[in-house]
């Protein structure tokens, strides 16, 4: 069983990580009596996440497996963000932009600035960092539905 508490498995392909995790999930639910919603399983790839879900369903049943929080790191955290968006003051139907989408939005917003056409952006590269103040400001405006900068 590996004991109680968190477990991290790091091993190469084909070494049995999914088998170990699915059996542990079954053990925690059936032997230790844990509620499925108290179990969090994250993996890197969609394929691994889907395989894990299928195996857990076959071991504990669809209804029980539905309660286990399983998926890729991205899908799990997007789920958390959507579940708690209202508590953070955001709608749950938010959009997550990648770097190229963010840059396109900034360029669109910049075009709204009077005199933009006189600014030479030819040799300027706009580089975004994850928590760039400009990016956060633009996202807040976008979420609020305002068309004004």
């Amino acid at each position: 069983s590996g004991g109680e508490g968190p477990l991290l498995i790091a091993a190469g392909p084909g070494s049995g990580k999914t088998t170990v995790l699915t059996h542990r999930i079954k053990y925690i639910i059936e032997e230790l009596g844990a509620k499925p919603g108290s179990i969090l399983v994250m993996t890197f790839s969609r394929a691994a996440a889907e395989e894990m879900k299928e195996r857990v369903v076959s071991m504990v049943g669809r209804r029980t497996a539905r309660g286990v929080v399983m998926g890729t790191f991205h899908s799990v955290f997007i789920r958390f963000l959507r579940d708690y968006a209202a508590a953070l003051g955001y709608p749950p139907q938010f959009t997550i932009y990648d770097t190229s989408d963010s840059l396109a939005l900034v360029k669109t917003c910049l075009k709204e600035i009077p005199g933009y056409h006189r600014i030479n952006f030819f040799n300027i590269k706009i580089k975004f960092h994850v928590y760039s103040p400009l990016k956060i400001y633009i996202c807040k405006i976008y979420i609020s539905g305002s068309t004004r900068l």
Side-chain angles (χ1 to χ4, degrees):
S1 76
E4 293 185 30
L7 174 67
L8 170 67
I9 297 178
S15 58
K17 295 179 297 293
T18 302
T19 300
V20 169
L21 285 172
T22 53
H23 281 86
R24 183 174 170 91
I25 292 166
K26 179 180 179 181
Y27 174 79
I28 290 170
I29 292 170
E30 294 180 355
E31 301 298 323
L32 299 181
K35 294 181 180 177
S38 68
I39 300 171
L40 170 65
V41 182
M42 292 188 291
T43 186
F44 286 106
S45 73
R46 281 188 219 149
E50 289 305 315
E51 176 69 21
M52 181 95 54
K53 289 176 187 177
E54 288 173 15
R55 290 195 198 180
V56 171
V57 165
S58 72
M59 295 176 105
V60 299
R62 185 165 308 283
R63 183 177 174 168
T64 301
R66 194 177 309 134
V68 178
V69 180
M70 284 186 283
T72 63
F73 286 90
H74 290 99
S75 69
V76 166
F77 285 106
I78 287 172
R79 181 173 164 183
F80 288 157
L81 286 172
R82 291 201 192 286
D83 287 348
Y84 296 100
L88 299 170
Y90 294 100
Q93 297 80 20
F94 59 83
T95 301
I96 297 176
Y97 286 160
D98 63 15
T99 303
S100 63
D101 291 334
S102 298
L103 184 56
L105 178 60
V106 168
K107 287 180 178 180
T108 300
C109 292
L110 287 173
K111 289 177 185 176
E112 299 293 321
I113 297 172
Y116 167 81
H117 63 281
R118 292 192 301 262
I119 301 171
N120 181 2
F121 287 99
F122 184 71
N123 290 323
I124 298 174
K125 281 204 175 222
I126 299 173
K127 209 170 187 181
F128 269 126
H129 297 286
V130 175
Y131 296 107
S132 159
L134 176 61
K135 188 175 182 181
I136 292 170
Y137 176 71
I138 289 171
C139 289
K140 285 182 179 178
I141 291 170
Y142 183 78
I143 288 170
S144 73
S146 175
T147 57
R148 297 183 58 179
L149 291 176

